[in-house]
């Protein structure tokens, strides 16, 4: 069963839904798409109790919980409560420190009581919204001021189910490289990994989602460590028939530490389509069919190539009521663009998503450019 929503749904997802006639969760978004001519198999939501379910954002998870089985509802609730998820996984990460505060308590917190740096973020969040790296008392005050100014807007944009502006976590800052994993746990609770993405940043203080990429090297070098981490985590979490998008950090010693488990979906805004453009399979189809990639075959001809998901995110500057973004010009900065998805930046804080392919050498130039560009040269 597919759960559609009003955020970006890609042509690839619609083509899959129409060609397979996969059951569609009955909600306002699905009915609107059907009224616009999409040939969707919208079914009674009572079927959700007996179906594998995959969503493309977290907007309708509260509704899904009303119809799915008890264990799936429990898993959704646990993933969305980052503090509780941390408490359950704490035996695996005894040195990881976290505290939860209400938004009203933040201004009263003395940041000198923490071992800095720390990360401050919403207990329920999405898309790097409301995430702050705190290196000093001044950083803490600036973050609190920004939360007061913008947190209501986050919930209005994505809904309280997706971004909650009332509770925040303070967590240990994790050194190391950041990755995202699209995976699911099957009916026996076994781990099936569908993609591994490396998340690159412009610098230490960058928390944006500007660039993720996958490659033969990324998958082969990290697969076993990521699988071991998910197996150990699920011994405590107990998820079955459940898809997740997991963000982690890997330190110099190879220790994998979770940032968060995101429920019932893979990479958001349909960016999980990167697996299709890079490797030829759809993650959501693999999950619904209880299948997994044959990685030796998938990676056989991928040496020396990198496949990127580029978020054309804004720099935070307020946009005028009307604006124009030159999508053709920005694509010229890349050697090969596989797809360009255009978004309303006033709604999503990003002009769109590019899926690209590049040689290792070209990628070095392209990634350095996009990580440091304000994109203002394409905006008018």
């Amino acid at each position: 069963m597919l759960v559609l929503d009003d955020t970006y749904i890609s042509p690839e997802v619609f083509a899959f839904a129409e060609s397979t006639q996969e059951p569609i969760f009955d909600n306002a978004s699905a009915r609107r798409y059907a009224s616009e001519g999409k040939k969707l198999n919208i079914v009674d939501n009572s079927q959700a109790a007996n179906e594998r379910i995959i969503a493309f954002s977290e907007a309708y998870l509260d509704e899904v919980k009303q119809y799915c089985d008890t264990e799936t509802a429990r898993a959704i609730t646990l993933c969305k409560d980052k503090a509780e998820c941390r408490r359950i996984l704490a035996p695996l990460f005894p040195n990881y420190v976290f505290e939860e505060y209400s938004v009203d308590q933040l201004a009263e917190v003395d940041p000198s009581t923490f071992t800095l740096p720390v990360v401050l973020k919403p207990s329920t969040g999405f898309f790097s919204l409301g995430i702050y790296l705190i290196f000093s008392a001044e950083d803490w005050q600036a973050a609190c001021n920004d939360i007061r100014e913008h947190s209501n807007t986050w919930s209005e944009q994505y809904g309280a189910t997706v971004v909650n502006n009332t509770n925040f976590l303070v967590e240990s800052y994790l050194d190391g490289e950041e990755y995202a994993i699209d995976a699911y746990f099957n009916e026996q609770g076994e781990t099936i990994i569908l993609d591994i993405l490396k998340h690159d940043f412009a610098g230490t203080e960058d928390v944006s989602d500007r660039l993720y990429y996958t490659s033969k090297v990324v998958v082969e070098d990290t697969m076993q460590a990521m699988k071991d981490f998910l197996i150990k985590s699920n011994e405590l979490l107990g998820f079955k028939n459940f898809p997740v998008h997991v963000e982690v950090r890997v330190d110099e010693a190879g220790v994998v530490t979770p940032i968060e488990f995101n429920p019932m979906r893979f990479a958001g805004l349909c960016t999980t389509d990167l697996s299709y453009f890079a490797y030829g399979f759809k993650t959501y189809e693999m999950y619904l069919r209880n299948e997994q990639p044959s990685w030796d075959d998938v990676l056989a001809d991928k040496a020396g190539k990198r496949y990127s998901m580029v978020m054309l995110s804004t720099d935070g500057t307020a946009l005028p009521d009307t604006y124009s973004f030159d999508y053709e010009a920005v694509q010229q900065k890349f050697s090969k663009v596989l797809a360009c998805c255009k978004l309303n930046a006033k709604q999503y804080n990003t002009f769109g998503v590019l899926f690209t392919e590049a040689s290792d050498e070209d990628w070095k130039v392209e990634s350095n450019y996009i990580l440091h560009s304000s994109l203002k040269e394409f905006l008018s």
Side-chain angles (χ1 to χ4, degrees):
M1 176 176 282
L2 304 177
V3 183
L4 306 180
D5 56 81
D6 284 339
T7 56
Y8 179 76
I9 301 295
S10 69
E12 289 73 26
V13 170
F14 278 127
F16 172 77
E18 291 184 313
S19 65
T20 64
Q21 286 296 284
E22 190 70 29
I24 305 294
F25 188 83
D26 186 1
N27 59 27
S29 298
R31 291 191 295 274
R32 179 174 63 79
Y33 292 131
S35 72
E36 294 171 352
K38 299 297 184 185
K39 301 184 186 305
L40 303 177
N41 178 27
I42 300 175
V43 301
D44 189 281
N45 287 343
S46 61
Q47 290 192 28
N50 301 308
E51 293 275 354
R52 286 189 166 217
I53 308 168
I54 186 75
F56 294 94
S57 85
E58 299 174 13
Y60 283 101
L61 292 191
D62 281 347
E63 290 188 30
V64 169
K65 285 166 60 177
Q66 297 175 33
Y67 296 98
C68 66
D69 64 87
T70 302
E71 279 303 300
T72 298
R74 179 193 71 85
I76 292 171
T77 300
L78 178 55
C79 285
K80 290 307 294 179
D81 186 343
K82 291 183 173 62
E84 181 61 19
C85 195
R86 281 280 179 213
R87 283 189 278 271
I88 289 176
L89 294 175
L92 298 177
F93 309 99
N95 297 323
Y96 192 89
V97 178
F98 66 95
E99 298 288 345
E100 186 175 27
Y101 299 95
S102 72
V103 68
D104 294 328
Q105 291 175 315
L106 290 180
E108 306 303 320
V109 173
D110 179 1
S112 67
T113 61
F114 305 129
T115 301
L116 300 178
V118 294
V119 178
L120 173 64
K121 66 183 182 182
S123 293
T124 301
F126 171 65
F127 203 37
S128 293
L129 292 173
I131 297 179
Y132 306 90
L133 296 185
I134 308 298
F135 292 88
S136 65
E138 290 75 20
D139 289 343
W140 180 269
Q141 187 58 54
C144 290
N145 292 341
D146 195 65
I147 289 167
R148 280 195 297 271
E149 182 177 354
H150 295 111
S151 61
N152 287 336
T153 302
W154 306 331
S155 290
E156 290 170 1
Q157 284 179 317
Y158 296 99
T161 301
V162 181
V163 183
N164 188 313
N165 65 347
T166 58
N167 291 292
F168 285 77
L169 288 182
V170 177
E171 303 180 324
S172 297
Y173 173 78
L174 299 172
D175 287 318
E177 302 292 332
E178 186 166 316
Y179 294 85
I181 313 162
D182 283 344
Y184 71 90
F185 303 101
N186 66 18
E187 60 271 21
Q188 285 82 40
E190 297 168 336
T191 297
I192 309 297
I193 292 179
L194 300 176
D195 207 359
I196 302 173
L197 311 177
K198 175 74 166 54
H199 187 183
D200 271 8
F201 299 93
T204 303
E205 297 186 18
D206 181 15
V207 296
S208 74
D209 288 322
R210 178 63 69 87
L211 179 65
Y212 291 79
Y213 73 93
T214 187
S215 69
K216 178 182 174 72
V217 171
V218 166
V219 172
E220 290 184 340
D221 284 0
T222 64
M223 177 64 74
Q224 192 58 55
M226 299 306 185
K227 192 165 188 177
D228 290 344
F229 154 74
L230 289 173
I231 289 171
K232 291 178 182 177
S233 296
N234 204 40
E235 288 174 355
L236 299 176
L237 297 170
F239 296 159
K240 294 182 179 180
N241 285 327
F242 195 69
V244 289
H245 177 73
V246 187
E247 297 170 14
V248 303
R249 284 259 175 164
V250 182
D251 66 17
E252 291 184 352
V255 176
V256 182
T257 304
I259 298 171
E260 60 189 21
F261 281 72
N262 296 285
M264 294 300 294
R265 67 173 175 88
F266 299 132
L269 289 176
C270 288
T271 50
T272 192
D273 283 339
L274 183 57
S275 74
Y276 175 70
F277 295 116
Y279 303 129
F281 64 83
K282 300 178 176 70
T283 52
Y284 41 90
E285 183 173 22
M286 287 277 184
Y287 168 65
L288 292 170
R289 307 291 180 256
N290 196 26
E291 297 175 349
Q292 58 184 302
S294 172
W295 284 109
D296 286 344
D297 295 335
V298 166
L299 299 174
D301 62 348
K302 301 302 181 183
K305 299 178 182 179
R306 302 198 197 194
Y307 296 88
S308 297
M309 177 192 85
V310 178
M311 306 296 296
L312 301 172
S313 48
T314 68
D315 64 358
T317 304
L319 293 169
D321 291 338
T322 59
Y323 69 86
S324 176
F325 189 82
D326 194 337
Y327 293 94
E328 294 300 322
V330 74
Q331 290 181 69
Q332 297 305 310
K333 297 293 185 178
F334 299 89
S335 52
K336 186 175 183 179
V337 175
L338 304 172
C340 174
C341 310
K342 301 176 183 179
L343 297 172
N344 180 347
K346 293 180 74 68
Q347 180 179 0
Y348 298 112
N349 300 309
T350 182
F351 299 104
V353 183
L354 299 181
F355 296 98
T356 72
E357 176 187 313
S359 67
D360 287 342
E361 288 304 310
D362 286 342
W363 184 87
K364 292 177 183 178
V365 176
E366 294 169 9
S367 63
N368 183 68
Y369 167 77
I370 201 61
L371 283 172
H372 295 90
S373 173
S374 69
L375 302 180
K376 288 182 178 178
E377 64 186 287
F378 308 109
L379 182 63
S380 59

